[in-house]
Structures are given as structure tokens and as C-alpha cells.
Amino acid sequence: SMSSPVEVNVNDDDLLVVEGNQDEEVEDSSNVVPTLASAHDAMRLFYPEERQRETAPSEEFEKAMEIHLSFADVAFDLPIKPTTTTTSTPLCCCFRRCRQQKQPSAATSTTTMAKRKTILHPVSGSVPPGTILAIMGPSGCGKSSLLDILSGRKTTPWRGSVLYNGHPADDWTSRFVSYVSQGDLLCATLTVREELMFVSHLKADYSYLNDGDNNDDEDPIIRRVAKLREHHVDMLLRVLGLWHVRDSLIGGEKKRGISGGQRRRLTLAKGLVTGPSLLFGDEITSGLSATDSLLALRALRSMAAAFKMSFALVIHQPRIEVFWMFSSVLCFSYNGHAVYQGEPSLLVEYLSTAGFPRKPDEEAALPDRLLDLASANEPSAALLRTYESQIAPYVNDKIKHLPAGRSTRSIVLEHSKFFAQPHTPGSSSPFIAQLRSLQSRDWRQAVRDTEFLVVNYASSAIIGVVLGLAFFQTRSTNNVFAQSSFLFMASLTSALFSFNYLPTVISEKAMYAAECHGEKLYGSWAYSLS
């Protein structure tokens, strides 16, 4: 779908500004991640020329993405199972003189009242459009619980309120919100581009291209959808620095493929394939090298700047270069209290106010020092007192006076003018599309797994020859026992050969759960029939 290259220049702010025709190709580079500087650049890069003439100016394009997430007094706790203590009354020591020596010993049981363990104490905050919120803290402090609550994935009861542009979540919220889990659940036998196209076919709905088309011929619309889908996927691969490995196999335990950082960026691309206004990520940099983490955050920062997308990310011990890329930081102590919320540049002054003055050469280890203070008992208590006296009143007052914006339904309608949408709330793509995409993926897996293919077909041929020789000319005989024996052995052999696919089913169990129940890409019937 692309014809000639786009010229990419680097400015002083380390942002790459796209210049030239939007139908031109970006020069392949394995070390440079193309980023965007404005909504105008985003439109020029992500939309073909004919689509740009149909869309609104860049101001409306930028406005369509703006979602202001706010949360007030969000808290979460879990019940602790009541404990039962049993106290036995000893029997009389003189058994011969005791008349009740044959009766069991008396016992009294005491049941304690059910208690609740607080995972996350009340916290308030906001994620304005075009910003990146980093949620930090020691293990077990409630970071993932807060992320699940904000993204609407928490199924157990919690307290507080979460608002999108001043409105509560509803069925339309899932159409502009995306979630990226911690693990990389990818198909090892697909290429990078095939994996992203598979998700796009099942998740992204381009029905908005039907608007304004008065002809009854669907072929032009189908061609436009296919062309724009491929264009969006290619541009997303470029922005995330995966263009040079687009035709490389993802790989897995048996076969080497792309690197861990590239796998993580591909997982991010799967979450960005519908152009969400708000993306939640759970420890997206865990297990990555410092360079790979920097590349991933640089790509997200460019998406936030160009599309006004908002990001809420759980981060574990970022390096200092990554730390400065965040718009704001929300840090929790070991017991679930918020101890800092604000810009990274104000952290040193805040720590000094709390009684922890700046140390020499501390800047490079600033995130580590914050986590060390939040993990200890007395330092975290000092940070909590400073937070409740200085930051909490300001945050609560700011959340209270946030004006209400567009409703979630109007956000989706405005958003659909520019971006592919997830399918109707609570549903997946059509059943035929699910079956076709799954069969195409399974066929690629079977063809590329040559070892499994050779063993399966060779063993089937050998067993077929053995059965043929054992029951040779059985049909010409009138021996019903021999014919029924042949049918039994043929059925038994077919059933036993189905066990060859058990390792595949077991290895795809986690991926099936994430794609079918988590992202709702397809249904269980389509997966079983494919």
C-alpha cells in the first residue's frame, strides 16, 4: 500500500518529525524508532491521501482522542477467612472413679470475627489527555489492583469512582480503552506482520468507511478496508520500530525468533491496533534491557504527543532515562498508601520537604531511592504525612472541580471518524471472519512446523499401510467379524492420532484464554472448529 519513502529528520528534542508524502516509505532502520511530533504529522503518516481529504482538520483529529481519566477515593480490600480455635477440656485423671470416662472429652470452639485486609488505601488522581502516568511501588502494594480497577477488569468489589471525561464507565467504554498484559502471548510460527494483521482482522472494525458510499457494490469498500488496514498496520510497525523485522518469525522455545524487546513492542502494537484513546499496561518493561525499555517508552511518548493518547502503566524500577519520560508518577508504599504523585522533576524537592535531602550523585538512582523509601517503615510514614498534608488536598480539589466532557457514546462516535473501532460492545467479529482467520493461522502453523508435519504424515501413512495389509480384501469376504474389526481399528487409530495435537492445545492454553476470554477476539466454537 506504500509507494515511495518518507524522509525522517531528528530534531533537538529527540522526536522524529515525519516530512514528505504520506505514501512514501520510511527508510529501514533497526536502531531508530520513528516518532511523531503533532496530530498533523500523525494524519500525514497514518492516512493515505484520499482518506485525508475526507477527514476533518488535525484539530478535530486531535480532539477525537482526548479522554480525561479521573479516579476518586479508589480503595480495595479482601476478606480474611475467620479462624476457629478449639479448646479441649481434659478428662478426669482418675478414670476408675469418673462415671463419664466413656464419654468424649468436652470441647469449646471460638470463631473470631471476619476481618478484611486492605490492599489499596483510598487514592485519587487523574490522567489528562496526551500524558503517561507511571504507577510505581514495592511488590504487593496494590499497583496491579489499581490498574485493574481503572481499566474495568476488576471483578471483585471495590470502593471509589472512576470517570471518563466526568462520566462513569458503560458498555461503550471498552471501545476506546485497551489493556496490555504483562506476558507476551504470541504465536511462534507467525511473522511479526502476520500476528498484527491477525489481531487487526478480529479486533478492528472499519465499518465507518461505509459512510458516504451510496453505491451497492461492496467490492470497492472491501478493497478500501483492506488497503487502509494494511496501511495502519505498516505504520504502527514503523512507529514501534518493528518494520525491519516485519517478515521475521516471532519464534519461541523451539525456534529462535525476534528479541525480547521486539516481542514486548509487538504486544504493545496489538493493544494499539484500534487506536485507543486510553491504554493500560501492566509492567510492560519487565524483563527488558535498559535499551529496549527506552525504545518502548519513546514510542509511547510519541503516540501520546501525536494522538493525545493517555497511558497508565505499572512500572517496576525504571532507569532514569525512562523515568524522565513520564508525565507524572504515582508511587505507593509497601502497605498500599500513596506517598507521591506528581511530575518526576519535582520529586527531589518533595523528598527534601519530607526530610530526605538530596544526596550527591543521586539523580541517576532517583527511582531506586524512591522505591527504597517507600519499602521501609519509618521513611514511608514520613512520606505519607507529607503526601496527606501537601499533595492529597490539591489532588482532591482538582478532581472535584474537573468539568464534565463528552459522554462515552459521543466519544466513540467522534473517534470512529478517524480510527478503526472494536466491534459492537460485548461482541466479537462475525463468526465466519473468526473461523477464516483462525484456520489461516492454523494452516500457517502446520506448514511451518515441518518436524510435526513430517512425523504426523509419515506415521499416518505407515499405520495406514499396516492396517491395509492386515485387513487386505476384507470387503470381498462375507466375514462380518473381520469387517467390524477393521472399522473398530480404523476408528481407534483415528482417535489415537488426535492425541498428537494435545501438546499444541496445552501450549496454546494461555494464549487461548487471553484471546478468547480476555480480548474477546473469537469464540470457543470458532476455535474448536478451526
Side-chain angles (χ1 to χ4, degrees):
S1 59
M2 321 262 310
S3 57
S4 49
V6 175
E7 186 177 354
V8 181
N9 293 334
V10 184
N11 60 16
D12 296 334
D13 199 23
D14 203 21
L15 283 176
L16 303 181
V17 183
V18 180
E19 298 180 356
N21 193 299
Q22 70 283 341
D23 288 338
E24 299 177 346
E25 293 187 11
V26 179
E27 182 181 356
D28 290 347
S29 174
S30 59
N31 299 321
V32 177
V33 177
T35 55
L36 309 167
S38 65
H40 179 66
D41 293 331
M43 288 190 65
R44 295 170 61 191
L45 184 62
F46 272 81
Y47 290 95
E49 184 176 357
E50 64 273 9
R51 182 60 183 160
Q52 289 187 36
R53 290 194 294 265
E54 301 172 9
T55 54
S58 57
E59 292 79 9
E60 296 186 22
F61 173 84
E62 191 176 57
K63 185 180 178 181
M65 297 292 294
E66 293 184 354
I67 298 293
H68 198 135
L69 171 68
S70 61
F71 51 98
D73 298 327
V74 172
F76 177 63
D77 51 26
L78 290 174
I80 301 177
K81 293 182 179 180
T83 57
T84 302
T85 57
T86 302
T87 306
S88 300
T89 303
L91 293 176
C92 180
C93 297
C94 186
F95 289 97
R96 294 181 180 178
R97 298 179 181 178
C98 184
R99 298 179 179 178
Q100 300 177 353
Q101 56 182 348
K102 294 184 179 181
Q103 297 181 359
S105 60
T108 60
S109 60
T110 303
T111 303
T112 61
M113 296 296 294
K115 298 181 179 179
R116 302 187 71 87
K117 178 181 179 181
T118 302
I119 305 298
L120 183 68
H121 290 270
V123 60
S124 302
S126 65
V127 186
T131 60
I132 303 177
L133 170 67
I135 304 175
M136 300 173 55
S139 299
C141 67
K143 304 187 299 295
S144 298
S145 297
L146 176 62
L147 195 71
D148 291 339
I149 292 173
L150 297 181
S151 60
R153 296 169 64 94
K154 179 64 73 175
T155 56
T156 51
W158 51 274
R159 302 189 304 276
S161 63
V162 178
L163 303 177
Y164 301 88
N165 281 357
H167 302 277
D170 53 21
D171 291 338
W172 294 92
T173 306
S174 60
R175 305 198 74 184
F176 55 81
V177 171
S178 183
Y179 186 92
V180 176
S181 59
Q182 183 176 355
D184 297 323
L185 300 175
L186 306 170
C187 185
T189 54
L190 293 184
T191 65
V192 172
R193 192 174 186 274
E194 289 171 348
E195 176 74 13
L196 200 54
M197 286 294 295
F198 171 79
V199 177
S200 178
H201 277 291
L202 294 178
K203 193 173 184 179
D205 182 13
Y206 284 82
S207 59
Y208 68 92
L209 292 177
N210 296 337
D211 297 339
D213 291 331
N214 298 323
N215 52 10
D216 297 330
D217 188 7
E218 295 184 356
D219 289 340
I221 299 176
I222 294 175
R223 287 194 295 267
R224 289 178 63 192
V225 169
K227 180 180 179 181
L228 192 58
R229 188 190 302 277
E230 292 179 357
H231 185 82
H232 282 173
V233 167
D234 290 343
M235 291 300 98
L236 195 56
L237 292 175
R238 295 178 188 278
V239 171
L240 292 175
L242 297 171
W243 179 250
H244 62 289
V245 294
R246 62 190 181 278
D247 296 325
S248 301
L249 291 178
I250 297 174
E253 298 179 355
K254 296 182 179 179
K255 191 172 184 179
R256 182 177 177 84
I258 58 177
S259 65
Q262 293 165 347
R263 293 173 64 91
R264 185 89 287 231
R265 277 178 276 157
L266 178 57
T267 303
L268 285 174
K270 291 171 62 177
L272 295 168
V273 74
T274 57
S277 298
L278 185 59
L279 184 139
F280 299 94
D282 188 8
E283 297 194 17
I284 63 172
T285 60
S286 295
L288 300 184
S289 64
T291 303
D292 288 331
S293 301
L294 186 62
L295 289 175
L297 262 297
R298 185 176 296 172
L300 295 186
R301 189 182 68 166
S302 65
M303 300 288 286
F307 294 98
K308 289 299 178 181
M309 296 177 61
S310 304
F311 297 90
L313 311 174
V314 171
I315 299 294
H316 183 68
Q317 288 186 326
R319 59 181 289 185
I320 189 62
E321 291 84 1
V322 173
F323 187 72
W324 294 128
M325 287 187 175
F326 300 133
S327 306
S328 60
V329 175
L330 175 59
C331 183
F332 290 94
S333 64
Y334 69 96
N335 53 7
H337 286 282
V339 294
Y340 179 72
Q341 185 175 177
E343 300 178 5
S345 58
L346 303 177
L347 180 58
V348 175
E349 181 181 355
Y350 174 79
L351 294 179
S352 300
T353 305
F356 306 99
R358 180 175 181 176
K359 296 180 180 179
D361 302 329
E362 182 193 41
E363 183 176 353
L366 189 59
D368 293 336
R369 190 188 183 203
L370 176 61
L371 291 177
D372 291 341
L373 295 174
S375 303
N377 189 8
E378 294 183 1
S380 63
L383 291 176
L384 177 59
R385 289 192 296 269
T386 307
Y387 179 85
E388 291 180 344
S389 62
Q390 296 187 7
I391 297 181
Y394 169 77
V395 172
N396 293 332
D397 184 70
K398 180 181 177 181
I399 298 300
K400 187 183 300 183
H401 293 88
L402 278 178
R406 297 170 298 163
S407 64
T408 54
R409 184 177 183 275
S410 62
I411 292 171
V412 171
L413 295 178
E414 186 71 22
H415 190 271
S416 62
K417 296 179 181 178
F418 305 95
F419 302 96
Q421 295 288 305
H423 292 273
T424 331
S427 68
S428 304
S429 56
F431 179 80
I432 298 300
Q434 298 176 26
L435 192 61
R436 187 187 302 116
S437 298
L438 287 169
Q439 285 179 340
S440 176
R441 185 175 71 172
D442 293 342
W443 172 253
R444 288 191 177 98
Q445 286 182 284
V447 170
R448 290 170 183 172
D449 193 353
T450 55
E451 181 180 350
F452 175 79
L453 199 64
V454 170
V455 171
N456 193 29
Y457 278 95
S459 57
S460 300
I462 293 173
I463 295 298
V465 171
V466 172
L467 285 177
L469 293 177
F471 295 95
F472 184 65
Q473 294 182 344
T474 300
R475 183 179 181 182
S476 60
T477 64
N478 295 324
N479 190 345
V480 178
F481 177 78
Q483 293 178 358
S484 59
S485 299
F486 171 74
L487 294 176
F488 172 77
M489 290 300 299
S491 302
L492 180 61
T493 304
S494 301
L496 291 177
F497 267 108
S498 63
F499 285 96
N500 293 337
Y501 294 92
L502 275 181
T504 303
V505 174
I506 294 173
S507 62
E508 291 182 355
K509 181 180 179 180
M511 186 168 63
Y512 164 78
E515 293 178 347
C516 181
H517 303 293
E519 301 181 37
K520 293 182 172 58
L521 295 182
Y522 48 79
S524 56
W525 277 105
Y527 178 81
S528 301
L529 292 176
S530 66

